[in-house]
Structure formats: C-alpha cells, structure tokens
Amino acid sequence: MGALVRAGNPWRWCTAAGLLATVVYYLLPAGTALASAGYNTIGLIAGLTILAAVRWHRPERPWAWILFGVGIILSVAGDFTWWYLDHIRHVEPYPSVADVFYIASYPPLIGGLFLLHRRRGRDLAGLIDAAMVATGLSLVLWVFVLHPVAADDAASMLERAVSTAYPSLDALLLAMVARLLIDRRARTPSTDLLAVAAVLLLLADVAFSVATLYFDYDGRAIDWGWLMAYVLWAAAALHPSMKAPVPDTSGAPGRLGRGRLVILGGSSVLAPIMLFIPSVGADTVDRIVIGAGAVLLFVLGVARMAGVTTEVRGQAVALERLANSDDLTGLHNRRHFYRALGDALAGGRPQVVLMGLNRLRAINDELGHLAGDDVIVRIADRVRALAGPDVTVARLSGDEFAVLLRDAGEGEADAVAARLADAVHDPINTAGYEVLVGAGVGVAGGADAADPAEVLRRAGVAMFAAKQSGEPYRRWSAGLDERSVEEARLGAQMRHALGERQFQVVYQPIVAMPEQRVAAVEALVRWHHPRLGTVSPARFIPVAERNGLIVELGAWILQTACEQLVRWTAELGPGAPERVSVNVSARQLARPGFAGTVADVLARTGLPARRLTVEVTETAVFDGGPAVTALHELRALGVRIALDDFGTGHSSLGLLQAVPVDVLKIDKSFVDRITEAGRHAVIAEAMIQVSHGLGLDAVAEGVETAEQAEALTRIGYRLLQGYHFGRPEAEPAFTGARSLIP
C-alpha cells in the first residue's frame, strides 16, 4: 500500500479497485459464505485504509478521519456479526446484535464530518443553510419512511424503534453532508468524495427501509450502495487534498451563489409541495409534521435573511473604512482628511501640520520596499503617538503625513509641528540597519482659506520652505506665496533664457602651488537677463533644481565646457588647462542613463574622459541609490569625481567609503580663518592629511588673500581656488606653463 501511495494517484487506484471488487461480489453466488466474506473484506480494508492514511498524510484535523475509520470498522463489525448469525447460527433475527454495531457506526461518521468542517471563526450562515436543507429533506424522510415505519402495527416496539433509528441517523448525516456541499470555500476533492460516500450511504439506507416496508425485499440489490460508500470514504482519505488546511471563515460570510440559492429555495418549498400529495394531505399527523417543518423553515429563512442583512451592513462598514483609511499604516487617507478638514473649516479654526519625508526613496532603493514600508509604519506610529488626542492623523501620499487640529491656536499647532520634527529625526531600525529619515514640516491655519485644498496648499508651501531652509518647521505666510509665484515666474523666464542664449559659462582657475600655474578650471554659469540684469546663481540654480530645468541647463553647461577645453587645447597647446570641472546636480545624477549622456558629450567634443572632472555635493550623494551608481559608471568611463563643499556634511568621512572620489574640495568655511590659530586650522590640516593618506587631490576653495594662500601651502595644500587667483571669466588668462596635476 505504501508503494501505491507514492504512485501519485492512490485514491484513483482505490476507487477502481473498489469498483472491481464490487463487480466481483455480484459475480459470486448470492447468500454464500464466500460472498459475505468478500463483502466484509471490502469494508474492513476501507476502514483500515482510512486509519493508515491519517498516518501517511498527517492532516490538520486527524481526529475527524480517525472517527471515519472507527465508524466504517463498526459497520464492518455489524456485517461480520450478521454473517455469523446467518451462516453459523442460521438465524435472521431483527433487530439483532448486528444492528447495535450498525447504529453505533453513525455517531463517529457524523462526529467526523462535524469536526472536519468546524470552522475557524463563526459560520452561522453555513449552519442555517445546512439546517434548511436537512429540514426540507427530513420532511420527505418522515412522510415516506419514518412515519410509515412508526405506524406499522405489525411490528414490535423494538422493531419500529430500530427501523426508525436508521433514517433518523441518516437525517443527521444528511445535515452534515448538506453543510459540506453548500460551502464552496471549504470544498476539496477529498470533501467531495466524502459527500458522495455519505449520500450513497443515505440512499442505501433509505432504499432498504422503503424496500422492506413496502415490498418483500430479501436480496442484495442495494448492497452496492454500502460497498461504494466504503470505497469512496477510503478514497477520500487517500486523496492528497485531505491534508489541506481548514479555511478561516471568520469575517468571510458564505456567498449566496446561484447554486446555493436553488438548493435553499428547493428545500423551502418541499413542505407546501408535499401537502398536495393526496395520501399525505389526508393524514393528520403528516399535516402537523409538515406544518411544523414549514414553520421551522420560515424561521430559518428569516434568520438567514437577517444574517445576510447583517453581513451586508458589515461589508458596507468595512468598505467605508477601507475607502477612508490607508491600508499600510491604518491612518486616515487623503479622502477622509479632506472631508474632515472641510467640516472643520465650516465650524471652527482648524490648523494643519503637514510633514514630508526626505529619504524614503533612497531607503527603498538601498534596502528594498519592504524596509521602506516598515519605515513608513514606524513613522506613522510616532506621528499618531505625538500628535496628541482629539486630532485627525492621515497619510496623504507615499511620504506625506498630515495632522488636523480642528479648533486650535497657532501656538498649539506649532508645538505639535516641533514634536513631529524632533521625533522623525530619531534613527529607525529596519532590515538590520539603522536609518535616518529627514523631514520637512509645514503649518498652516484655515482662518481665511476658501476650501481644504487651499489649506493643504499653504501647508505644502510651508513644508517646502522648511526643507529648503533646514528649519525644524515653517509656518505659512503670504510672503511664502509671493516667493512661490516669483519662483514660478523665474522658472518660466529660465526656459526662455535657454532658447535665447542668455546664459553664459565662465571659468574660475584652480591654481597649482607654489608655482601658481593654472592646473584646471571650474565651469560656472551666469545669467544675463535683458531686463533684470545679471541674475545671481544663488537665486536661479535652486529654482532650476526644483522645477527640473537643471537637467537641461546642466547638459548645456557640460557640452559647452568640454567644447571650450578642446578649443583652448587647440589654441594654447601645453598652456591650456589640463582639466575642466563641471558641477552636476542631484537631479542629473538621479536620471537614468546620465553616464551615457556624459559619454556622448565626450565623444562629440573629442575630449578625453580623464580631462573631465564631475563635481558633486555631499547632499547629492548622501541618499545613495542611483546617484552613487551613476558616479561608479562615470569612474568606469575614466571621468574624475570631485566631492564639493567637503566637510560641511554630517557624515563626510563615511561618504568616502561609498562614493568613488578623486578630489576633495575643502569648503570655504575652513579656509576663511586658516591664518588664525585654532580649530579651523587644525581641521584644515587634518583634511589634507586624510586626502594624502587616501591618495586624493585636495582643492582649497574660497582663497581670497595671499596670507590664506601661504598658510594653506605651508600645511600641504597644492591646489587652491578663489578670488585671490581670479574671478570666474569667460576667457581667463593662462600662464602657458604645463599643468602640475599628474
């Protein structure tokens, strides 16, 4: 049997073998010991197979299957007992000891079906449906089997009791089978086989009762029903689906599909249909039983409809909750927040605190979206805990959270904003890493706002201003709107300026010391507006960063700078700068294919990759992800990488381990007081030692006096840049000496 189980389809072999054995049984002479032995052997093997299958498959609810095996074996014990009485004792008593075993086999079978389909969670709808089916069919059993048996005056009380017991137990078995068949959520091939086996047992019992009641039955025409019930019960145990986990139906109401409605509707109309049968309608007892059954079916139907109504109401509540909440964090969503803010504007003085996370995209790229989701959940918990009572907290988008204080003053809202700004900067442990998540927080009141969208717009403007300035939070003011309008106007003018060639690339020398020879130049951009005059880069570069125009502008600067260095090399020969440095923004680095864009520019201009230096700020690569990947791709091309404003970030040294760097550009803040004894001089000296130790070039920026140049040269700096050596110009004056940069 073990080899048979491993064959892949043991239940099919079992069914085929059982069907063949049943055919062989009918080929044996009726009433002989050999035929009885064959009959009993089929049942015994079926019962033992069920118990063995429990050991092989190890189902989730083994006791249900053990009860099935016990029930089948008890029935077989009845068969053996009847064989002993008939062939050894040569008596055919009714009732007999065999009936004790037969009747005793039903409780295990009924109990096994109950245990097998006992739900995780409530399944009241399934129980009611099963009760309706069982009630309707039990009325049929009563009319055609139970009542005629009970009313048979020729039989003794014991005979009537036993004859009534079989169909009554069948009715209980029927209830379990009905529950099994009408619930598609729990049905498997194994349960379908069980249902067929139980129905065959029921039909065989009913057929036997009707045949012995109305006819002179003494044969084996019905034996195939009991035999195939044995076989299919064993096949159900052998089917692999018998070990499938029991479904959890808590919160999952039974679906009233078309088939289920037909079954329930048919069961409900059985009572009135039977009243139209002449022999039934004339019998007072039958009418009383049918009337009671009809009342019971009506009550069960009302209960079912009440259950459906409750389920629909519960589903409506659940849908409302889903429509107004964020499925990841459990906070309210944008839709709910808008409605709540609108209600607050109608009857109070609401304040809105809007918080936008900074590093979520980098966390998703570096640690994966599961880690990013975990960070969002942790932040949501902090926001919920720190916002305070009687407030509405919502997640408006992937990285934005909002807090609504329905009736609060500016001081109270500012206090909430400060708490959130402090809390979000605490490290978060996720995926085995400790990550830092920055945020900008904006606050806006609804005193004169026309609608919720306007309040959120103001809060968004304030949040953006806080991110720009580095403040913990920012409250909206009319001046911020004026700045936003001005930025929008300036952005539109910049796009026009690109087409009208109003921008100019200028170059500031990078001087090699002590020879004071121009070793390289840094390409910078200037904007000569026909009406506004010269617009400061400090004014238009941040606007270009925010509106995305920096990508187009940066590509133009790169192309122009490379063309210029090639032109100088052709004109000046060895007197031309060896390299040109071009600043690259975070937006440029984050765009897919940036390294390919640089490679195309180098190919078009003919500039060797080693003569181009790409300058990036610490903040541009701090988040990692695509920016760092782009730098590695540039390094693979042969382009040099310079880390600008080095030393001003909070993890400058840490970046040197993750970012491919060739040049450190020491920030002007460390150069300004280099001539004074103190911390600045010590830090500047430590930086040159770090660069030498790592084999990097170091460029000191912002050198404005000869004293600063001398002090920097004395402590080891060989590359200096600043107004002392020349301001940015379109055509700087070069010494013509060969560059000292290797």
Side-chain angles (χ1 to χ4, degrees):
M1 181 62 74
L4 186 62
V5 172
R6 291 189 294 269
N9 292 315
W11 68 275
R12 292 181 178 174
W13 288 104
C14 175
T15 305
L19 182 60
L20 179 61
T22 302
V23 173
V24 171
Y25 165 75
Y26 277 97
L27 294 177
L28 297 175
T32 63
L34 183 60
S36 298
Y39 184 97
N40 297 339
T41 301
I42 294 173
L44 181 61
I45 291 176
L48 295 177
T49 299
I50 294 173
L51 297 179
V54 174
R55 180 178 178 84
W56 290 327
H57 288 311
R58 300 186 183 278
E60 184 175 340
R61 292 181 175 173
W63 277 106
W65 294 94
I66 291 174
L67 287 175
F68 293 153
V70 171
I72 298 299
I73 291 174
L74 284 173
S75 181
V76 173
D79 293 335
F80 273 107
T81 302
W82 178 255
W83 173 84
Y84 171 78
L85 294 174
D86 186 20
H87 293 279
I88 304 300
R89 298 288 301 276
H90 302 290
V91 294
E92 295 183 2
Y94 181 76
S96 68
V97 178
D99 292 292
V100 175
F101 288 105
Y102 289 140
I103 293 175
S105 69
Y106 281 91
L109 297 178
I110 294 170
L113 287 172
F114 177 80
L115 288 178
L116 186 63
H117 297 283
R118 179 170 52 87
R119 306 287 183 242
R120 290 194 184 112
R122 297 183 61 190
D123 188 30
L124 184 59
L127 290 175
I128 292 175
D129 292 349
M132 292 180 69
V133 174
T135 300
L137 295 182
S138 295
L139 291 176
V140 178
L141 282 176
W142 166 263
V143 170
F144 295 105
V145 180
L146 294 177
H147 185 204
V149 170
D152 186 7
D153 295 331
S156 66
M157 182 64 69
L158 181 59
E159 289 176 339
R160 284 182 295 192
V162 172
S163 298
T164 306
Y166 284 112
S168 299
L169 290 170
D170 284 327
L172 291 177
L173 187 65
L174 176 64
M176 295 298 102
V177 173
R179 187 182 179 201
L180 179 68
L181 291 176
I182 62 178
D183 190 356
R184 290 185 174 274
R185 295 166 297 171
R187 287 180 61 177
T188 64
S190 178
T191 59
D192 288 343
L193 289 170
L194 283 178
V196 175
V199 169
L200 284 176
L201 179 61
L202 172 66
L203 292 177
D205 285 347
V206 171
F208 180 80
S209 298
V210 172
T212 55
L213 178 65
Y214 294 102
F215 308 99
D216 185 14
Y217 175 78
D218 185 14
R220 55 176 182 172
I222 305 173
D223 290 354
W224 68 270
W226 289 304
L227 287 174
M228 289 309 300
Y230 288 157
V231 171
L232 292 180
W233 227 293
L238 288 175
H239 199 284
S241 63
M242 67 90 76
K243 60 182 178 181
V246 179
D248 184 356
T249 59
S250 57
R255 182 173 175 266
L256 277 174
R258 183 180 301 174
R260 197 166 187 168
L261 284 173
V262 169
I263 293 173
L264 295 179
S267 301
S268 300
V269 299
L270 280 175
I273 287 176
M274 284 190 295
L275 289 176
F276 287 96
I277 300 175
S279 61
V280 175
D283 190 284
T284 304
V285 175
D286 283 344
R287 289 201 305 272
I288 293 175
V289 172
I290 292 173
V295 171
L296 179 58
L297 285 169
F298 175 78
V299 171
L300 290 173
V302 170
R304 188 64 170 97
M305 293 307 299
V308 170
T309 303
T310 302
E311 290 167 5
V312 171
R313 188 179 297 115
Q315 289 174 345
V317 172
L319 288 174
E320 178 70 16
R321 183 172 62 252
L322 288 174
N324 290 281
S325 64
D326 175 56
D327 56 353
L328 178 62
T329 63
L331 299 176
H332 297 297
N333 60 11
R334 178 181 290 271
R335 176 184 179 186
H336 179 88
F337 193 85
Y338 260 75
R339 187 166 59 247
L341 180 55
D343 294 341
L345 284 172
R349 48 188 191 117
Q351 296 281 330
V352 171
V353 180
L354 184 65
M355 182 177 74
L357 306 181
N358 289 337
R359 298 197 63 243
L360 185 60
R361 178 177 178 180
I363 293 171
N364 285 332
D365 291 340
E366 295 173 11
L367 303 181
H369 286 277
L370 289 179
D373 289 347
D374 183 50
V375 169
I376 290 174
V377 172
R378 303 282 188 90
I379 294 296
D381 291 340
R382 292 182 183 181
V383 173
R384 186 188 290 111
L386 295 173
D390 302 325
V391 300
T392 299
V393 181
R395 181 185 176 211
L396 301 187
S397 63
D399 58 358
E400 284 188 354
F401 297 86
V403 177
L404 170 62
L405 294 87
R406 288 179 173 80
D407 193 10
E410 292 186 359
E412 184 180 350
D414 289 349
V416 171
R419 290 200 300 270
L420 296 183
D422 289 340
V424 78
H425 287 90
D426 293 339
I428 295 176
N429 292 312
T430 183
Y433 295 89
E434 189 175 75
V435 298
L436 294 173
V437 183
V441 181
V443 189
D448 57 347
D451 52 40
E454 173 62 17
V455 181
L456 279 175
R457 186 197 68 79
R458 293 177 179 179
V461 170
M463 178 188 72
F464 194 74
K467 287 187 176 184
Q468 284 184 279
S469 64
E471 299 171 90
Y473 69 93
R474 186 75 174 268
R475 174 170 283 279
W476 177 85
S477 64
L480 292 180
D481 274 353
E482 294 174 4
R483 182 184 304 176
S484 298
V485 172
E486 177 61 24
E487 284 192 1
R489 184 182 300 114
L490 195 64
Q493 292 174 340
M494 285 180 64
R495 184 165 295 281
H496 178 73
L498 266 174
E500 295 297 320
R501 299 182 179 274
Q502 295 176 11
F503 289 101
Q504 181 185 29
V505 178
V506 295
Y507 305 89
Q508 186 174 34
I510 299 174
V511 178
M513 300 297 288
E515 295 86 352
Q516 297 193 28
R517 296 171 181 173
V518 176
V521 291
E522 179 181 357
L524 303 168
V525 65
R526 296 293 183 263
W527 182 9
H528 302 291
H529 195 282
R531 182 172 55 83
L532 301 177
T534 301
V535 182
S536 170
R539 182 180 175 190
F540 70 81
I541 290 296
V543 175
E545 286 273 9
R546 288 190 287 274
N547 65 17
L549 194 61
I550 192 66
V551 175
E552 186 177 348
L553 179 62
W556 176 79
I557 295 171
L558 176 65
Q559 176 81 21
T560 303
C562 291
E563 290 174 347
Q564 182 63 66
L565 184 55
V566 170
R567 188 179 305 113
W568 281 334
T569 301
E571 294 173 356
L572 302 177
E578 178 65 19
R579 293 187 176 89
V580 61
S581 294
V582 178
N583 292 279
V584 173
S585 72
R587 280 225 182 190
Q588 288 175 277
L589 288 175
R591 287 178 68 90
F594 176 71
T597 300
V598 174
D600 290 343
V601 170
L602 294 174
R604 285 196 303 269
T605 60
L607 182 71
R610 61 181 175 80
R611 300 188 66 185
L612 173 64
T613 300
V614 168
E615 292 192 16
V616 297
T617 63
E618 295 181 12
T619 54
V621 295
F622 177 74
D623 287 343
V628 174
T629 301
L631 293 184
H632 282 285
E633 292 172 347
L634 290 173
R635 167 69 78 78
L637 293 174
V639 176
R640 287 163 58 90
I641 310 298
L643 197 58
D644 201 8
D645 300 333
F646 183 76
T648 59
H650 63 275
S651 62
S652 300
L653 294 177
L655 285 176
L656 298 181
Q657 300 178 0
V659 178
V661 177
D662 300 287
V663 182
L664 298 181
K665 301 199 73 174
I666 310 304
D667 189 70
K668 183 179 184 297
S669 61
F670 299 104
V671 174
D672 288 341
R673 301 175 64 181
I674 191 66
T675 58
E676 305 174 11
R679 299 177 62 185
H680 288 78
V682 173
I683 293 174
E685 187 172 357
M687 287 183 178
I688 193 62
Q689 291 175 356
V690 168
S691 63
H692 287 167
L694 296 176
L696 308 177
D697 293 325
V699 178
E701 296 183 290
V703 181
E704 297 184 350
T705 66
E707 290 80 10
Q708 290 174 342
E710 182 181 355
L712 289 166
T713 304
R714 186 172 58 251
I715 63 176
Y717 283 89
R718 294 296 177 262
L719 296 171
L720 306 181
Q721 179 182 356
Y723 286 174
H724 175 65
F725 300 102
R727 291 178 177 272
E729 297 178 304
E731 293 287 344
F734 304 124
T735 63
R738 186 177 61 85
S739 170
L740 297 183
I741 296 182

